Amino acid sequence: MKLSAFHFDLPDELIAKHPAEYRDESRLMVLNRKEQTIEHKQFKDVIDYFDDGDLMILNNTKVFPARMYGNKEKTGARIEVFLLRELNAENRLWDVLVDPARKIRIGNKLFFGEDDSLVAEVIDNTTSRGRTLRFLYDGSYEEFRKKLDQLGETPIPKHLNREVEEEDAERFQTIYAKEEGAVAAPTAGLHFSKHLMKRLEIKGIDFSEITLHIGLGTFNPVEVEDLSKHKMDSEQISISQDTCDRVNNAINTKRRVCAVGTTVMRTIESSVSSNDRLNPYDGWTNKFIFPPYDFRIANSMITNLHPSKSTLMMQVAAFAGFDFLMEAYQEAIKEGYKFSTYGDAMLII
């Protein structure tokens, strides 16, 4: 398929700047692929589509405060530093993006905090905006990580066009987040409240977890018309044996297996056996799913409404069916659904 096929016009006012007041009261559009029907619900109504023994797979990654601001030595220029991943804990080496990048060269030092208690030296250029930093800090590794947390802020997406607010620390995180390492939230999971998860458990719905640490590559624009030429950045994933046992048992007993989010879907599709069962895995994935694609594990999916021409939208189109998804997006726009990170949700069955 071609990139241009995934274009649609989205009015600015339909990009959600803030989350719904209550997590489980976002709107929910339900797409039934077999019947080709679209229903309009609230997210908490998701419980009506699942039965005892069905399984939901969650991404338990945890967002860390990845965006920091430092000052360049001598000039004092304010530089945004976006922490991507830790390369070496002992030497305190980090892969980062800097902005504005043209001012930051190898050998430059950056100072953080009002007391300049944290210093970083640029030791390598990785991409046009990418740098490798060595942090210099007098203290233990635990104290150093605590200092990063203090100086960093919640990395809400730039397209929200607003300052970080206090509620973002809680709301740009799922309630089941535990494995720290993501620079963005798995947005489909943001709609689950403690109350809703309890109701689902009481009904007999099972949960299992995978980990995919979301990097900024998920949001990189696709710049090639031929989608087969697009390369995804690698992201770290983990699938335990316990998760595989639960998922494979649900498949064997013909239960509904629901991938909660595109990150879950990419993870489980990255480790499938020849007989269409899930395998344990610890490593990296750069899997890019776009139509046509034969899904092997999940038979239902929860996801947000995604921006035009995004890799997220392409994956959902592969699952829902391209024409059906385009029809659903047009209806969502007409009905005033909110798109993107803090937007409304879809259930595809």
Side-chain angles (χ1 to χ4, degrees), residues 27-40:
R27 294 172 74 188
L28 178 71
M29 180 182 262
V30 183
L31 276 58
N32 185 313
R33 294 177 293 171
K34 187 178 172 193
E35 308 292 337
Q36 293 285 291
T37 55
I38 297 173
E39 295 178 281
H40 303 289

Side-chain angles (χ1 to χ4, degrees), residues 164-309:
V164 175
E165 296 170 16
E166 206 173 308
E167 72 164 353
D168 291 314
E170 181 204 344
R171 294 301 299 273
F172 195 60
Q173 195 85 270
T174 64
I175 61 166
Y176 46 78
K178 53 168 87 79
E179 300 292 338
E180 190 172 272
V183 301
T187 57
L190 297 179
H191 305 285
F192 285 86
S193 64
K194 285 181 177 160
H195 180 63
L196 177 59
M197 290 193 76
K198 196 75 198 160
R199 286 176 62 218
L200 287 162
E201 281 174 20
I202 290 167
K203 193 172 180 180
I205 285 91
D206 196 11
F207 294 97
S208 62
E209 298 179 355
I210 56 85
T211 305
L212 180 144
H213 291 316
I214 302 160
L216 283 184
T218 297
F219 308 103
N220 281 351
V222 179
E223 292 173 336
V224 287
E225 180 65 7
D226 179 354
L227 297 184
S228 65
K229 304 274 196 303
H230 177 68
K231 296 283 184 286
M232 294 284 280
D233 285 359
S234 290
E235 292 167 311
Q236 196 170 3
I237 65 173
S238 177
I239 307 169
S240 69
Q241 183 64 58
D242 177 64
T243 288
C244 293
D245 292 344
R246 288 167 185 261
V247 170
N248 294 335
N249 179 59
I251 294 171
N252 292 340
T253 54
K254 299 196 165 31
R255 310 306 309 183
R256 185 161 275 172
V257 177
C258 182
V260 178
T262 57
T263 58
V264 169
M265 193 68 89
R266 284 180 48 230
T267 301
I268 59 181
E269 287 293 323
S270 297
S271 188
V272 183
S273 68
S274 56
N275 65 339
D276 294 349
R277 296 298 181 271
L278 189 61
N279 284 335
Y281 183 71
D282 263 302
W284 298 79
T285 184
N286 62 352
K287 193 165 190 67
F288 174 34
I289 297 173
F290 58 94
Y293 184 86
D294 181 21
F295 290 87
R296 321 260 294 278
I297 301 293
N299 51 28
S300 61
M301 172 180 202
I302 293 169
T303 186
N304 275 27
L305 294 118
H306 302 293
S308 173
K309 295 184 178 178

